[in-house]
């Protein structure tokens, strides 16, 4: 059982849906980013997705691309991202952290070293968007063996033939991408998402969390109402881009979490 498994078990007992927040590690700088991350659990976040900045973020829209650029320009590295998690764990040993990013920095570090370091600092799961299921031996299987969940994305274009392949080695939860395209694009619609979530859940017992296009407490509530929870990323990252004070960022996150938890 990972922290992710424990969190979903607790939420099920409480009759609540999960609220997952995404922020880019090191945006706009290490100190402010760490302060925001440390404040997320008290704002109602059940699972933290921590973005690993990368120079070629092909799945991300401009908001998160720019966040990655700001972080890199401020000196954020994979090493510093691991250190950020270590610092977070000094005061919080229960909130799951999922590292979300691309394979290149992990490959450059070395898979075995990265997985050992990730486990040591307290990372619970990985979402690596540019590694398809056909490459599971590369990172997914080793990550599972190391005790980390490997979370896969399903999309509106994941058809019945493809879905079992996507789900085969997934653990923790399934991340359903509510819209075709990049992060921060059109707003998600619960009526469109509901049948897709039901289709995925007919093939897996894992929780299904929906992200992309969730920007308001109302949408968070609507989407969480047809899934096991929802993810908000770009809307939070935009607050950080606008140089909002940490307290204002966390207040916005709290409003989103309350929306999801009302579902």
């Amino acid at each position: 059982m990972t922290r992710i498994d424990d969190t979903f078990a607790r939420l099920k007992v409480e009759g609540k849906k999960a609220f997952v927040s995404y922020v880019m590690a090191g945006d706009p700088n290490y100190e402010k980013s760490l302060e925001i991350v440390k404040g997320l659990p008290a704002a109602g976040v059940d699972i933290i997705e921590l973005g690993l900045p990368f120079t070629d973020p092909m799945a991300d829209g401009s908001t998160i691309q720019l966040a990655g650029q700001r972080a890199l320009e401020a000196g954020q590295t994979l090493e510093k991202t691991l250190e950020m998690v270590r610092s977070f764990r000094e005061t919080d040993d229960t909130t799951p952290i999922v590292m979300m990013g691309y394979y290149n920095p992990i490959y450059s570090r070395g898979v075995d070293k990265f997985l050992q370091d990730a486990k040591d600092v307290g990372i619970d799961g990985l979402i690596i968007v540019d590694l398809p299921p056909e490459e599971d031996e590369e990172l997914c299987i080793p990550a599972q063996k190391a005790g980390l969940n490997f979370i896969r994305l399903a999309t509106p274009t994941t058809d019945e033939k493809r879905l079992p392949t996507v789900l085969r080695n997934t653990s923790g939860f399934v991340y359903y991408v509510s819209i075709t395209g990049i992060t921060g694009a059109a707003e998600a619609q619960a009526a469109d998402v509901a049948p897709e979530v039901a289709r995925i859940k007919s093939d897996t017992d894992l929780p299904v969390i929906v992200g992309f296009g969730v920007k308001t407490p109302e949408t968070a509530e609507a989407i969480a109402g047809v899934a096991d929870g929802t993810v908000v990323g770009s809307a939070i990252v935009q607050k950080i881009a606008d140089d909002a004070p940490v307290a204002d960022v966390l207040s916005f996150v709290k409003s989103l979490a309350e929306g999801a938890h009302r579902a």
Side-chain angles (χ1 to χ4, degrees):
M1 292 281 286
T2 65
R3 290 186 187 92
I4 296 171
D5 300 324
D6 289 343
T7 294
F8 281 111
R10 172 181 58 79
L11 290 168
K12 186 173 183 179
V13 170
E14 295 174 358
K16 291 169 65 176
K17 301 301 181 71
F19 179 67
V20 184
S21 69
Y22 171 97
V23 292
M24 179 67 72
D27 174 36
N29 54 61
Y30 183 92
E31 292 75 18
K32 186 172 182 178
S33 180
L34 179 58
E35 188 178 355
I36 291 169
V37 171
K38 285 187 172 183
L40 292 174
V45 173
D46 299 301
I47 298 172
I48 297 168
E49 279 184 14
L50 190 61
L52 177 63
F54 181 53
T55 53
D56 187 23
M58 63 183 184
D60 295 311
S62 59
T63 300
I64 291 179
Q65 284 188 18
L66 290 169
Q69 289 178 19
R70 288 191 299 271
L72 291 169
E73 288 168 4
Q76 191 71 11
T77 61
L78 174 53
E79 185 66 39
K80 285 189 173 182
T81 303
L82 292 168
E83 185 55 41
M84 183 175 286
V85 178
R86 189 191 303 277
S87 181
F88 176 87
R89 286 282 174 236
E90 291 173 0
T91 55
D92 187 317
D93 195 41
T94 58
T95 305
I97 293 181
V98 175
M99 181 179 284
M100 185 171 186
Y102 298 84
Y103 184 46
N104 186 276
I106 295 170
Y107 177 80
S108 296
R109 190 178 188 84
V111 168
D112 291 343
K113 177 170 174 50
F114 167 77
L115 291 175
Q116 185 61 57
D117 292 343
K119 187 70 176 173
D120 287 347
V121 301
I123 290 172
D124 303 287
L126 302 172
I127 300 175
I128 307 300
V129 298
D130 56 346
L131 274 182
E134 288 75 15
E135 306 294 334
D136 274 356
E137 293 294 337
E138 192 80 18
L139 180 62
C140 174
I141 302 301
Q144 307 266 31
K145 289 179 179 177
L148 278 73
N149 290 127
F150 199 88
I151 296 141
R152 191 80 69 191
L153 304 179
T155 74
T157 59
T158 305
D159 61 21
E160 293 298 330
K161 184 177 180 182
R162 180 66 173 168
L163 185 59
T165 303
V166 170
L167 296 175
R168 183 175 57 219
N169 291 316
T170 300
S171 65
F173 60 90
V174 180
Y175 187 136
Y176 178 68
V177 176
S178 64
I179 54 177
T180 54
I182 53 177
T183 59
E187 189 157 354
Q189 301 295 325
D192 298 331
V193 168
E196 294 298 303
V197 170
R199 179 169 70 91
I200 296 168
K201 289 181 76 68
S202 69
D203 279 356
T204 182
D205 293 328
L206 291 171
V208 179
I209 305 300
V210 177
F212 285 47
V214 182
K215 304 175 183 179
T216 66
E218 293 74 22
T219 307
E221 180 177 2
I223 295 298
V226 299
D228 295 301
T230 189
V231 184
V232 179
S234 293
I236 298 170
V237 171
Q238 186 59 53
K239 289 282 185 187
I240 297 169
D242 293 340
D243 202 26
V246 171
D248 290 357
V249 174
L250 295 175
S251 178
F252 177 60
V253 171
K254 184 178 180 182
S255 73
L256 295 163
E258 288 172 346
H261 290 152
R262 280 195 301 267

